[in-house]
Amino acid sequence: LREIDHTPQRIQIRDVAKRAGVSAATVSRVLNGRAEVRSAARERVLSAVVDLGYRPNRLARSLRRKASETVAMVVSDIENPHFAEAVRAAEDAVYQRGYRLLLCNSDESASKQQTYLETLAAECVSGVIVAPSDPADSAIKRLLDQSIHVVAFDRTVADPRADAVIGNNLDATRVATTHLIDGGHSAIGLVSGPLETTTGRDRLAGYEDVMRRAGLEPRVEFGGFRMDEGEQAALRLVDSSPRLSALVVANNLMAAGALKALRARGLEIPGDVALVTVDEPFWAEFVDPPLTTIAQPIRLMATSAVDLLFERIEGRRSESRRLTFDFELHIRASSQHG
Amino acid sequence: LREIDHTPQRIQIRDVAKRAGVSAATVSRVLNGRAEVRSAARERVLSAVVDLGYRPNRLARSLRRKASETVAMVVSDIENPHFAEAVRAAEDAVYQRGYRLLLCNSDESASKQQTYLETLAAECVSGVIVAPSDPADSAIKRLLDQSIHVVAFDRTVADPRADAVIGNNLDATRVATTHLIDGGHSAIGLVSGPLETTTGRDRLAGYEDVMRRAGLEPRVEFGGFRMDEGEQAALRLVDSSPRLSALVVANNLMAAGALKALRARGLEIPGDVALVTVDEPFWAEFVDPPLTTIAQPIRLMATSAVDLLFERIEGRRSESRRLTFDFELHIRASSQHG
DNA sequence: CTGAAAGCGCTTACAG
DNA sequence: CTGAAAGCGCTTACAG
C-alpha cells in the first residue's frame, strides 16, 4: 500500500521500522552498525531500507549527535590554482574516510571568512581546514571552544590550539632571491603579498633578509595575491626603478599579472627583466617564457592537513602540531640569461 | 552569573530568553524578523544576543523548517579553471542574497556525484546547481521529488523539471572548425570530450557537422576533459595522421595537454599544427603561442544560474527554463599562419 | 537483543 | 503582542 510514493514526503525511519516490523530504535542501530541486533531483524531492516529507498535525514542525526560526518575547507580564493589543487587533494582524502568535504570561498575577505566559519560552527561540522584571510578571526576561537578541530593551511592562525600545515615561506623567497643574485642580478624587486597574511609577511622577510645580507636595497610593492594587483604592483616597480633587472613575485596569480605588466612596457623576459615566482601552477611551463618557480608539495600538504584533522577527530592526539614543508626551486627560462 | 563561559557549552535560545526576560518563542520571532514583537522586548532580546554572543544552531532551525539558507554547487572538477571561475561568480551572487554556497567536487565520477547529491538532499539545502558527471543520476530525481530546486550548469540533465544554463556547444565547435577551414586547413582533428556529457557530445557533433558539409573526413580521439587525457588523445591523433595540420580541442585542460603533446613531438604551433580550443582560461594569452579560443561568458552564466535558482526558491516561477549562451571566437597566434 | 521514552535546539500554529 | 506546547527526524541511555 502506497508503494509508489509520488508525494514530496520523504521516507522516514518510522516507515522503515513499520515495514520491517521493528522499532525505530532497532532500525537506527542497524544503520549505525551497532553490534547487538539479531540477524533476522537486521536482514528485514536492510531490505526495507532498500525497498523504500530510505536515506536518514542528516540534519536530525547531526542535531542529535552534535556532530556530522562532514569537514569543511575554507580557502581565500578558489580561482587560485594553488588552492584549487589543495582542495582537490583534500577532497579525495576526506572522501576516502567516508566523510564529505564542504568548500567555502572567503574571497580574501575577513567578514566573509567569519560568516562562513560561524555557519560551519552552527552546523556542527567535525573539523575545518582554513587558509585564513584573517588569522585572528574570533570565529576560529569559537570553533575551538566548541571542540571543532581546526587546521590552519598555507597560512597560520593566531589561536595556538589549532594545528597548522605551512610551507617554509621565509626560505622560499630566500632561495628565489639568492638564485637571482647568483645569476648576477642586483636590482631585484619584490611583488609582495599582503602583510595581513603570514605568507605575505614571511615571503617579504625572506627576500629582505637576503637582499640586506648582500648589501642590496630592497624594492617592494604590494598586492593582494590577485592577478590585477600583481600587474599594478609590477608596473609601479618597473616604472619607478628603470634599472630593475629582476623580479621576485610572491604567488602565481600575481606572476601572471607581472607577465602582463612587463609585456605592456615592452620589456623582454629574461633579457630586460628576469622573473621568479612562488607557486608552481600547471601553466608555468607553457607560458612564454617558461617560468622559474619555487614549488611547494601542495597535494602532500593538503593530505597532511586532512591527516592531522582526523587524528584529532578520532581522538588520537590532543596537543597541537605544526607541519612545515620545504619549497623546491624549478629553474626555467624566465630567470636565465641568453 | 556564569558570564564568562569557559565550557564548550554553546549558548542556546533559552539562555537568551532568560537573560532578556522573555520566552524562547519571542527570541525566535525577533531573530527571524517577524513583525509583532513589542519594541521594548525586541531591544532586550537583541542586546542579550550580543552580550552572550548567541548564534542559532542551524541544524535545529533547518530541521524544524525543513529548509536551510544554503545552496550547493556540484562541479565535476574544481581544478578546471572554467569551473573555478563559475564557482567564484556563483558564490558572490549567492552570498549577496544572504545565503551560503556549499561546494562539492564530484571528480567526474558518477558515484561521487550521487553521494554528494544525496548528502545535500539529506541536509535540506534550498537548491543545487550541478555540472553533472552523470546527467541521469537518480539522485537528481530524488532532489526534485523532495522539492529541492535543481539547475543544470554547463551540461544538461535528463530530468525535465530542472532548469538549465548551458553554452551553445554545437555552435562552439562549428565556429572553431570553420575558422580553421577558412584558414586553409583540411586535415583537422578533434580532441573530443567524453560522450557521457552533453558538452562532449555537442562539441563533437558541431565539429563533425562542419567537416561533413565541407566534404572533409573527421578524425577524432577522446579524452575525459583532463590534461593528461588531452595529451594522450593528441598524441594518438598526430601519430596516426601525419598530415594533420590543425587541432580543435574540446576544453582548456585538454588544450594544455595537447600543447604538451605537440612539444613532445617537436611540432611547431601554428606552423606544423594550428590549435583552437574551447574555453578561455586566463593563461590562454600567456602561453607560447597565445591560444585561439572559443570563449563563453562563464561568469554571466554562473550568475544566471543563481538567478534561475532563486526565482524558484522564492516561488516566482514554476515552469522550468533553459538558458543558452553563445560562444565567442578569440583569434590569437595559435591558429594563424606566419 | 529490543522497545518506549526522552531529548538534540530550534520554530510555529494555537490560545489568550 | 506573547507564552506553553507540540513537533522536526533522528539517537541513545534505560529498562527489560
Coordinates of all heavy atoms in Angstrom, one line a residue, chain A residues 99-143:
Chain A
Y99 N 33.8 10.6 4.9 CA 33.3 11.9 5.2 C 33.1 12.7 3.9 O 33.5 12.3 2.8 CB 34.3 12.7 6.1 CG 34.2 12.4 7.5 CD1 34.4 11.1 8.0 CD2 34.0 13.4 8.5 CE1 34.4 10.8 9.4 CE2 33.9 13.1 9.8 CZ 34.1 11.8 10.3 OH 34.0 11.5 11.6
R100 N 32.4 13.9 4.1 CA 32.2 14.8 2.9 C 33.0 16.0 3.2 O 33.1 16.5 4.3 CB 30.7 15.2 2.8 CG 29.7 14.0 2.8 CD 29.7 13.3 1.5 NE 29.1 11.9 1.8 CZ 29.8 10.9 2.0 NH1 31.1 10.9 1.9 NH2 29.3 9.7 2.2
L101 N 33.5 16.6 2.1 CA 34.1 17.9 2.2 C 33.3 19.0 1.7 O 32.8 19.0 0.5 CB 35.5 17.9 1.4 CG 36.2 19.2 1.6 CD1 36.9 19.3 2.9 CD2 37.2 19.4 0.5
L102 N 33.0 20.0 2.5 CA 32.3 21.2 2.1 C 33.3 22.3 1.9 O 34.3 22.4 2.7 CB 31.4 21.6 3.2 CG 29.9 21.3 3.1 CD1 29.7 20.0 2.3 CD2 29.3 21.3 4.5
L103 N 33.1 23.0 0.8 CA 34.1 24.0 0.5 C 33.5 25.4 0.6 O 32.4 25.6 0.1 CB 34.6 23.7 -0.9 CG 35.7 24.6 -1.4 CD1 37.0 24.5 -0.5 CD2 36.1 24.2 -2.8
C104 N 34.2 26.4 1.2 CA 33.8 27.7 1.2 C 34.9 28.7 0.7 O 36.0 28.4 0.9 CB 33.4 28.1 2.6 SG 32.2 27.1 3.4
N105 N 34.5 29.7 0.0 CA 35.4 30.6 -0.6 C 35.3 32.0 0.1 O 34.3 32.6 0.1 CB 35.0 30.8 -2.1 CG 36.0 31.6 -2.8 OD1 37.2 31.5 -2.6 ND2 35.5 32.5 -3.7
S106 N 36.3 32.3 0.9 CA 36.2 33.6 1.7 C 36.6 34.8 0.9 O 36.5 35.9 1.4 CB 37.0 33.4 3.0 OG 38.4 33.5 2.6
D107 N 37.2 34.6 -0.3 CA 37.3 35.8 -1.2 C 38.3 36.8 -0.6 O 38.1 38.0 -0.8 CB 35.9 36.4 -1.4 CG 35.8 37.2 -2.7 OD1 36.7 37.0 -3.5 OD2 34.9 38.0 -2.8
E108 N 39.3 36.4 0.2 CA 40.2 37.3 0.8 C 39.5 38.3 1.7 O 40.0 39.4 1.9 CB 41.2 38.0 -0.2 CG 42.0 37.1 -1.1 CD 43.2 36.4 -0.3 OE1 43.4 36.6 0.9 OE2 44.0 35.8 -1.0
S109 N 38.3 38.0 2.1 CA 37.6 38.9 3.0 C 37.4 38.4 4.4 O 36.9 37.3 4.6 CB 36.2 39.2 2.3 OG 35.2 39.3 3.3
A110 N 37.8 39.2 5.4 CA 37.7 38.8 6.7 C 36.3 38.6 7.2 O 36.0 37.6 7.9 CB 38.4 39.8 7.6
S111 N 35.4 39.4 6.7 CA 34.0 39.3 7.1 C 33.3 38.0 6.5 O 32.5 37.3 7.2 CB 33.2 40.5 6.8 OG 32.8 40.6 5.5
K112 N 33.7 37.7 5.3 CA 33.1 36.5 4.7 C 33.7 35.3 5.4 O 32.9 34.3 5.6 CB 33.5 36.5 3.2 CG 32.3 36.6 2.2 CD 32.8 36.5 0.8 CE 31.6 36.5 -0.1 NZ 32.0 36.6 -1.6
Q113 N 34.9 35.3 5.7 CA 35.5 34.2 6.4 C 34.8 34.0 7.7 O 34.4 32.8 8.0 CB 37.0 34.5 6.6 CG 37.6 33.4 7.6 CD 39.1 33.8 7.9 OE1 39.9 33.9 7.0 NE2 39.4 33.8 9.1
Q114 N 34.5 35.0 8.4 CA 33.9 34.9 9.7 C 32.5 34.4 9.5 O 32.1 33.5 10.3 CB 33.8 36.3 10.4 CG 33.1 36.2 11.7 CD 33.3 37.5 12.5 OE1 33.6 38.6 12.0 NE2 33.2 37.4 13.8
T115 N 31.8 34.9 8.5 CA 30.4 34.4 8.3 C 30.4 32.9 8.0 O 29.6 32.1 8.6 CB 29.8 35.1 7.1 OG1 29.8 36.5 7.3 CG2 28.3 34.7 6.9
Y116 N 31.3 32.4 7.2 CA 31.4 31.0 6.8 C 31.8 30.2 8.0 O 31.2 29.1 8.3 CB 32.3 30.8 5.7 CG 31.6 30.9 4.3 CD1 32.1 31.9 3.4 CD2 30.5 30.2 4.0 CE1 31.4 32.1 2.2 CE2 29.9 30.3 2.8 CZ 30.3 31.3 1.9 OH 29.7 31.4 0.7
L117 N 32.8 30.6 8.8 CA 33.2 29.8 9.9 C 32.1 29.7 11.0 O 31.9 28.7 11.6 CB 34.5 30.4 10.6 CG 35.7 30.3 9.7 CD1 36.9 31.0 10.4 CD2 36.1 28.9 9.4
E118 N 31.3 30.8 11.1 CA 30.2 30.7 12.1 C 29.1 29.8 11.6 O 28.5 29.1 12.4 CB 29.7 32.1 12.4 CG 30.8 32.9 13.1 CD 30.2 34.1 13.9 OE1 29.2 34.6 13.5 OE2 30.9 34.5 14.9
T119 N 28.9 29.9 10.3 CA 27.9 29.0 9.7 C 28.3 27.5 10.0 O 27.5 26.7 10.4 CB 27.7 29.2 8.2 OG1 27.3 30.5 8.0 CG2 26.7 28.3 7.6
L120 N 29.6 27.2 9.8 CA 30.1 25.9 9.9 C 30.0 25.5 11.4 O 29.6 24.3 11.7 CB 31.5 25.8 9.4 CG 31.7 26.0 7.9 CD1 33.1 26.2 7.5 CD2 31.0 24.9 7.1
A121 N 30.3 26.4 12.3 CA 30.2 26.1 13.7 C 28.7 25.7 14.0 O 28.4 24.8 14.8 CB 30.6 27.2 14.6
A122 N 27.8 26.5 13.5 CA 26.4 26.4 13.7 C 25.8 25.1 13.0 O 24.7 24.7 13.3 CB 25.6 27.6 13.3
E123 N 26.6 24.5 12.2 CA 26.2 23.3 11.5 C 26.9 22.1 12.0 O 26.8 21.0 11.5 CB 26.3 23.4 10.0 CG 25.2 24.3 9.4 CD 25.4 24.5 7.9 OE1 26.4 24.2 7.4 OE2 24.4 25.1 7.4
C124 N 27.7 22.3 13.1 CA 28.4 21.2 13.7 C 29.2 20.3 12.8 O 29.2 19.1 12.9 CB 27.3 20.3 14.5 SG 26.4 21.2 15.7
V125 N 30.0 20.9 11.9 CA 30.9 20.1 11.2 C 32.0 19.5 12.2 O 32.2 20.0 13.3 CB 31.7 20.9 10.1 CG1 30.7 21.4 9.1 CG2 32.5 22.1 10.7
S126 N 32.6 18.4 11.7 CA 33.6 17.8 12.6 C 34.9 18.5 12.7 O 35.7 18.3 13.6 CB 33.8 16.3 12.2 OG 32.6 15.6 12.4
G127 N 35.2 19.2 11.6 CA 36.5 19.9 11.6 C 36.6 20.9 10.5 O 35.8 20.8 9.5
V128 N 37.5 21.8 10.5 CA 37.7 22.7 9.4 C 39.1 23.0 9.1 O 40.0 23.2 10.0 CB 36.8 24.0 9.5 CG1 36.0 24.1 10.8 CG2 37.6 25.3 9.2
I129 N 39.4 22.9 7.8 CA 40.8 23.3 7.3 C 40.6 24.7 6.8 O 39.8 24.9 5.9 CB 41.2 22.3 6.2 CG1 41.3 20.9 6.8 CG2 42.5 22.8 5.6 CD1 41.6 19.9 5.7
V130 N 41.4 25.6 7.3 CA 41.2 27.0 6.8 C 42.5 27.7 6.4 O 43.5 27.6 7.1 CB 40.5 27.9 7.9 CG1 41.2 27.8 9.2 CG2 40.3 29.3 7.5
A131 N 42.4 28.2 5.2 CA 43.5 29.1 4.7 C 43.1 30.5 5.0 O 42.3 31.1 4.2 CB 43.8 28.9 3.2
P132 N 43.5 31.0 6.1 CA 42.8 32.2 6.6 C 43.1 33.5 5.9 O 44.2 33.8 5.5 CB 43.3 32.3 8.1 CG 44.6 31.7 8.0 CD 44.5 30.6 7.0
S133 N 42.1 34.3 5.7 CA 42.2 35.7 5.2 C 42.5 36.5 6.4 O 43.2 37.5 6.4 CB 40.9 36.2 4.5 OG 40.6 35.3 3.5
D134 N 41.9 36.2 7.6 CA 42.1 36.9 8.8 C 42.5 35.9 9.9 O 41.7 35.1 10.4 CB 40.8 37.6 9.2 CG 40.9 38.2 10.6 OD1 42.0 38.3 11.2 OD2 39.8 38.6 11.1
P135 N 43.8 35.8 10.2 CA 44.3 34.8 11.2 C 43.8 35.0 12.6 O 43.8 34.0 13.4 CB 45.8 35.0 11.1 CG 46.0 36.4 10.6 CD 44.9 36.7 9.7
A136 N 43.3 36.2 13.0 CA 42.9 36.4 14.3 C 41.4 36.3 14.5 O 40.8 36.7 15.5 CB 43.4 37.7 14.8
D137 N 40.7 35.9 13.4 CA 39.2 35.8 13.4 C 38.7 35.2 14.7 O 39.1 34.1 15.2 CB 38.9 34.9 12.2 CG 37.4 35.0 11.9 OD1 36.6 35.3 12.8 OD2 37.1 34.7 10.7
S138 N 37.7 35.9 15.3 CA 37.1 35.4 16.6 C 36.3 34.1 16.3 O 36.1 33.3 17.2 CB 36.2 36.4 17.2 OG 35.1 36.7 16.3
A139 N 35.9 33.9 15.1 CA 35.2 32.7 14.8 C 36.1 31.4 14.9 O 35.6 30.3 15.2 CB 34.6 32.7 13.4
I140 N 37.4 31.6 14.8 CA 38.3 30.5 14.9 C 38.3 30.0 16.4 O 38.2 28.8 16.7 CB 39.7 30.8 14.4 CG1 39.7 31.0 12.9 CG2 40.7 29.7 14.8 CD1 41.0 31.5 12.3
K141 N 38.3 31.0 17.3 CA 38.2 30.7 18.7 C 36.9 30.1 19.0 O 36.9 29.1 19.8 CB 38.4 32.1 19.5 CG 38.2 31.9 21.0 CD 38.3 33.3 21.7 CE 38.1 33.2 23.2 NZ 37.2 32.1 23.6
R142 N 35.9 30.5 18.4 CA 34.6 30.0 18.7 C 34.5 28.5 18.3 O 34.0 27.7 19.0 CB 33.5 30.8 17.9 CG 32.1 30.4 18.2 CD 31.1 31.1 17.2 NE 31.0 32.5 17.6 CZ 30.0 33.0 18.4 NH1 29.1 32.1 18.9 NH2 29.9 34.2 18.7
L143 N 35.1 28.2 17.1 CA 35.1 26.8 16.7 C 35.8 25.9 17.7 O 35.3 24.9 18.1 CB 35.8 26.7 15.3 CG 35.1 27.1 14.1 CD1 36.0 27.3 12.9 CD2 34.0 26.1 13.7

